[in-house]
Amino acid sequence: MSDDTNDDDIDLSSLPDDELVEQMKDDLYDGLREEIVEGTNILLERGWAATRVLDEALVEGMRIVGIDFRDGILFVPEVLMSANAMKGGMEVLRPLLAETGAKPIGKMVIGTVKGDIHDIGKNLVAMMMEGAGFEVIDLGIDNAVENYLEAIEQHQPDILGMSALLTTTMPYMKVVIDTLVEKGIREDFIVLVGGAPLNEEFGKAVGADAYCRDAAVAVETAQTLVAQRRAA
Ligand code: B1M
């Protein structure tokens, strides 16, 4: 992806939208946080919706990083720089994604499971949930079952959300849900799970209420299930 282009020479604001988006994907690949922040701001100034910038420039750019990471072209330090650049863009988008003015409609505790330090997708879900009017308690990464239990006890959420990006860590979701069952508190709240290697079948198998493919689906699912619960 990255070539000999000297990014210092590129005036991002002079590029038309499509070229700017392609340039942002290159900059994300190269871990250039400042450029990602600048590109994000330019697209917003040009009237792009925050969700469009997110999907077409940032998430799509990260997908490309993921492919080259898988294929051994990029390594952990480089991907960390890409992740840092992505977070720079997300910080710009955060207030926009969260500014719906909606009344708090429920509370969610969310965290990435034990052994897993991926947090970009989880952060995105947290942001979009906040945007939809949920209060979100974010436990961060690498959460053992005790962390979830403590947060549940303290915050009494409507929803527990868990994220996992590794095939080796996703089974831990079942450990958490089984513990909730053992303690007799599983039915006290909705459990939503998500992360790239999961699917609907897995969600059912571990005993979650739903698997959420992405942050938008997480929001819709949360809204529907909370409304159903309230109605019942
Ligand atoms: Co990691 N990594 N990584 N990594 N990494 C993956 C996941 C991988 C698929 C890359 C690959 O090989 N193609 C692969 C997993 C393979 C597998 O398990 N089968 C992998 C690996 C192997 C590893 C290491 C083991 C590498 C190593 O050390 N040898 C290591 C593990 C560390 C650990 O966790 N213990 C590792 C490390 C890292 C970095 C630290 C370098 C970095 C993470 C930085 C960070 O998160 N702060 C990183 C990254 C960035 C990735 C990729 C490239 C991108 C992930 C991402 O942020 N995507 C990833 C490849 C990929 O997924 N394409 C990869 C963008 C994000 C917006 O999408 O997270 O899917 P996603 O979230 C979506 C949905 O999944 C959903 O909504 C989100 C938004 O729409 N969702 C939820 C997610 N969580 C949800 C929770 C919900 C609901 C929906 O709750 C209700």
Side-chain angles (χ1 to χ4, degrees), residues 59 62 65-66 69-70 76 79-80 83 86-87 108 110 115-122 124-125 161-163 165-167 192-196 212-215 218:
V59 172
M62 212 58 198
V65 169
F69 187 31
R70 179 197 63 204
V76 169
V79 178
L80 270 176
M86 169 108 184
K87 286 182 178 180
M108 178 191 222
I110 189 168
D116 200 321
I117 62 169
H118 295 86
D119 68 354
I120 295 176
K122 184 263 299 162
L124 207 47
V125 173
M162 289 188 278
S163 179
L165 263 286
L166 299 172
T167 46
L192 301 181
V193 294
C212 308
R213 192 184 62 239
D214 58 31

Side-chain angles (χ1 to χ4, degrees), residues 20-193:
L20 175 56
V21 168
E22 287 312 307
Q23 183 61 43
M24 284 174 70
K25 288 183 204 164
D26 280 357
D27 289 346
L28 196 66
Y29 192 94
D30 293 334
L32 302 176
R33 185 180 170 114
E34 270 179 37
E35 284 75 0
I36 290 299
V37 168
E38 188 185 346
T40 300
N41 277 317
I42 293 170
L43 288 175
L44 291 173
E45 278 159 21
R46 291 183 187 171
W48 279 46
T51 47
R52 186 174 173 208
V53 181
L54 184 67
D55 291 342
E56 293 184 24
L58 303 183
V59 172
E60 178 54 20
M62 212 58 198
R63 192 185 64 78
I64 297 164
V65 169
I67 292 168
D68 279 5
F69 187 31
R70 179 197 63 204
D71 296 343
I73 297 164
L74 288 178
F75 296 95
V76 169
E78 290 142 330
V79 178
L80 270 176
M81 287 180 69
S82 298
N84 182 42
M86 169 108 184
K87 286 182 178 180
M90 279 164 59
E91 273 167 30
V92 176
L93 299 178
R94 174 185 273 275
L96 301 170
L97 294 172
E99 87 179 3
T100 61
K103 276 194 250 150
I105 53 168
K107 206 188 270 188
M108 178 191 222
V109 163
I110 189 168
T112 303
V113 297
K114 187 175 170 184
D116 200 321
I117 62 169
H118 295 86
D119 68 354
I120 295 176
K122 184 263 299 162
N123 293 347
L124 207 47
V125 173
M127 267 183 212
M128 301 280 281
M129 289 290 292
E130 280 173 4
F134 284 87
E135 180 185 346
V136 177
I137 296 105
D138 186 347
L139 305 181
I141 54 172
D142 193 18
N143 283 288
V145 62
E146 293 77 18
N147 294 6
Y148 292 109
L149 291 175
E150 206 176 297
I152 288 164
E153 169 136 11
Q154 189 185 344
H155 301 286
Q156 304 287 317
D158 302 284
I159 303 168
L160 172 65
M162 289 188 278
S163 179
L165 263 286
L166 299 172
T167 46
T168 49
T169 57
M170 59 191 229
Y172 195 76
M173 291 175 168
K174 180 154 168 45
V175 174
V176 177
I177 296 176
D178 285 351
T179 308
L180 300 177
V181 173
E182 276 164 28
K183 294 198 170 291
I185 55 172
R186 167 65 187 89
E187 298 309 321
D188 294 354
F189 38 81
I190 297 156
V191 178
L192 301 181
V193 294

